[in-house]
Amino acid sequence: MTILQPIAPQGCGCDGSGTRKTLISIDDALSLIFARTPPVEETEGLALGLALGRTLASPVIALCMSPPFDNSAMDGFAVVTSALVGDGPWTLDVVARVPAGQLATRPIYGLQSTRVFTGAPIPAGADAVVMQEDVQRSGATIRIARRPEPGLNIRRAGSEMAAGDMVLRQGQRLGPREIAACAAAGTGSVRVRRRLRVALLVTGDEVRQAGADRAAAQIWDVNTPMLTAALTRPDIDLITVEHGLDSKDGLFLQIAEMANIADLVITTGGISVGEEDHIKPTLLAMGAEVIFSGVAIKPGKPVSFGHVREAAWLGLPGNPLSAFITWHLFGEALVRRMTGANDDTAKRRHVVTAHDISRKTGRCELRPAICAGFDPQGREVVSFEPESHSSRVNGLSMASGLIFIPADAEWLPAGALVEFQPFCPT
């Protein structure tokens, strides 16, 4: 589908005048993350089979052309098309057999053919391969009813890449498709950015490990397993996961130690303005630089970013849905930036809503949504709950991503055009 007109208001609308004085927009927050966060400098060489999920520190250059020789795209018979004169059918002698991995040592002439298999070199003189389903074979001869076009079923040498071609650029994240391209280029090892060292600190005196005994006023800890799972990936070395200590002095020492050993310190909770919110005061007491504190979104408004000593710091809200959404929106972007990935922004696309939306204005709302097919015009449709709650995560397991409801939209009808950002694949 081609979107002919942009969504109105453009984007999420969270940079409107009503929020600009105290909160920044999503795009401004992302711009600050990209502008104020350098990637890690250290690199390492890895065998191709160990490089999944890592980011290239140098480009991949093809060592030779691919394919390295003319080869058959089919199981069939290599023939000389110029020898097939007049009207068919034609009868040809089968003079050789060439499996994949063996050289074609015998050239063919005139009404001769060579039995070839997929990937086998094309014998000299041949300029087409007739697939075996189109041939009638009788002993040492074959019968062809239709004249093949020159080049039929032949993969030409260098048709995919030439020696010296840049196959992948620096900053490319290596998935199965990129690894396939490296292998086709003859690259058995790659140079990648080292893994990002991350420390996670989860606060909240009221939380207990999931499944453990808890008092009447206590809740099970969602953020620790949720964020640990999000941080368990090939490009991250999760060096420590801790629960915040009760005392300010203890919290100071925890964060200081984390900042000394990590590239990125992630905290949850303690970043609002309540009497029990100690993360930001502790960071400021350490001389940390808070680059932004508060984004015009719902949920997740308190999300914060800065630097503490030599480490970057991302402060996520304590409510689990808020923590997940702000991690998806800002944490993923921060990791991409720090690992040197060149895909600086997650790809958003336009979708239409399956239901009406009625809400309070003021902040861009990010609501988990489920891809629910397509409407008669071929536009992608998403469904969602009538409202979201920052502490509820049950619906996340079914959601495909987030819709962005503009800050000044009090009501949107079913079929309204909104932005949608899919969740990163696991």
Side-chain angles (χ1 to χ4, degrees), residues 156-181:
R156 294 297 183 187
S159 58
E160 182 178 10
M161 62 184 75
D165 281 354
M166 181 182 292
V167 178
L168 295 174
R169 296 184 179 278
Q170 177 181 330
Q172 183 72 49
R173 194 182 298 277
L174 294 171
R177 293 170 293 172
E178 291 76 21
I179 286 175

Side-chain angles (χ1 to χ4, degrees), residues 104-149:
T105 57
R106 177 172 179 171
I108 61 173
Y109 309 95
L111 294 176
Q112 294 180 336
S113 68
T114 295
R115 177 73 163 121
V116 292
F117 297 85
T118 303
I122 300 299
D127 64 347
V129 173
V130 181
M131 63 180 181
Q132 61 188 16
E133 293 87 348
D134 293 338
V135 167
Q136 291 181 342
R137 183 162 188 177
S138 177
T141 63
I142 59 171
R143 192 168 184 260
I144 300 174
R146 290 179 295 179
R147 178 184 289 106
E149 292 293 326

Side-chain angles (χ1 to χ4, degrees), residues 188-235:
S189 61
V190 288
R191 182 146 292 275
V192 298
R193 302 270 184 179
R194 70 156 170 83
R195 297 169 72 194
L196 190 67
R197 294 189 289 264
V198 177
L200 174 62
L201 179 69
V202 176
T203 67
D205 294 342
E206 75 280 13
V207 299
R208 293 294 179 269
Q209 182 179 349
D213 293 336
R214 58 182 183 177
Q218 294 175 332
I219 59 174
W220 281 324
D221 179 8
V222 173
N223 285 337
T224 298
M226 177 180 71
L227 292 172
T228 298
L231 293 164
T232 303
R233 45 192 277 181
D235 54 352

Side-chain angles (χ1 to χ4, degrees), residues 69-78 98 116-122 128-131 152-155:
F69 49 82
D70 292 351
N71 68 90
S72 177
M74 296 279 183
D75 289 352
F77 295 84
V98 183
V116 292
F117 297 85
T118 303
I122 300 299
V129 173
V130 181
M131 63 180 181
L152 178 68
N153 296 325
I154 293 179
R155 296 185 290 219

Side-chain angles (χ1 to χ4, degrees), residues 317-331:
N319 280 317
L321 182 62
S322 299
F324 181 85
I325 286 177
T326 50
W327 164 256
H328 174 70
L329 201 60
F330 303 112

Side-chain angles (χ1 to χ4, degrees), residues 187-411:
T187 299
S189 61
V190 288
R191 182 146 292 275
V192 298
R193 302 270 184 179
R194 70 156 170 83
R195 297 169 72 194
L196 190 67
R197 294 189 289 264
V198 177
L200 174 62
L201 179 69
V202 176
T203 67
D205 294 342
E206 75 280 13
V207 299
R208 293 294 179 269
Q209 182 179 349
D213 293 336
R214 58 182 183 177
Q218 294 175 332
I219 59 174
W220 281 324
D221 179 8
V222 173
N223 285 337
T224 298
M226 177 180 71
L227 292 172
T228 298
L231 293 164
T232 303
R233 45 192 277 181
D235 54 352
I236 286 178
D237 179 10
L238 185 57
I239 55 177
T240 185
V241 178
E242 299 180 22
H243 190 272
L245 298 176
D246 293 340
S247 68
K248 292 182 180 180
D249 289 342
L251 199 60
F252 186 102
L253 292 174
Q254 273 185 298
I255 295 176
E257 183 177 351
M258 288 181 168
N260 287 336
I261 61 175
D263 305 302
L264 171 61
V265 175
I266 299 171
T267 62
T268 71
I271 54 173
S272 193
V273 292
E275 294 181 5
E276 298 298 320
D277 293 316
H278 302 310
I279 291 291
K280 274 198 296 188
T282 300
L283 287 164
L284 292 173
M286 297 174 63
E289 177 189 21
V290 178
I291 296 172
F292 67 75
S293 183
V295 178
I297 56 175
K298 177 185 178 181
K301 180 179 70 172
V303 63
S304 304
F305 165 70
H307 293 130
V308 51
R309 299 186 177 173
E310 298 301 315
W313 165 65
L314 180 65
L316 304 177
N319 280 317
L321 182 62
S322 299
F324 181 85
I325 286 177
T326 50
W327 164 256
H328 174 70
L329 201 60
F330 303 112
E332 292 282 357
L334 185 54
V335 170
R336 286 197 301 273
R337 178 60 176 166
M338 295 187 75
T339 56
N342 56 21
D343 54 339
D344 279 347
T345 56
K347 301 297 187 291
R348 300 180 196 171
R349 61 180 185 261
H350 289 102
V351 297
V352 294
T353 59
H355 330 289
D356 296 349
I357 296 174
S358 180
R359 57 181 292 277
K360 283 186 177 181
T361 61
R363 286 179 280 156
C364 173
E365 184 175 346
L366 287 86
R367 193 175 293 184
I370 303 169
C371 294
F374 297 86
D375 68 8
Q377 288 75 46
R379 301 177 301 176
E380 190 173 14
V381 178
V382 295
S383 63
F384 40 84
E385 295 293 328
E387 58 183 14
S388 59
H389 301 270
S390 60
S391 61
R392 298 182 184 177
V393 294
N394 184 49
L396 281 177
S397 63
M398 297 176 288
S400 312
L402 301 172
I403 57 170
F404 291 64
I405 305 173
D408 60 354
E410 184 175 7
W411 180 81

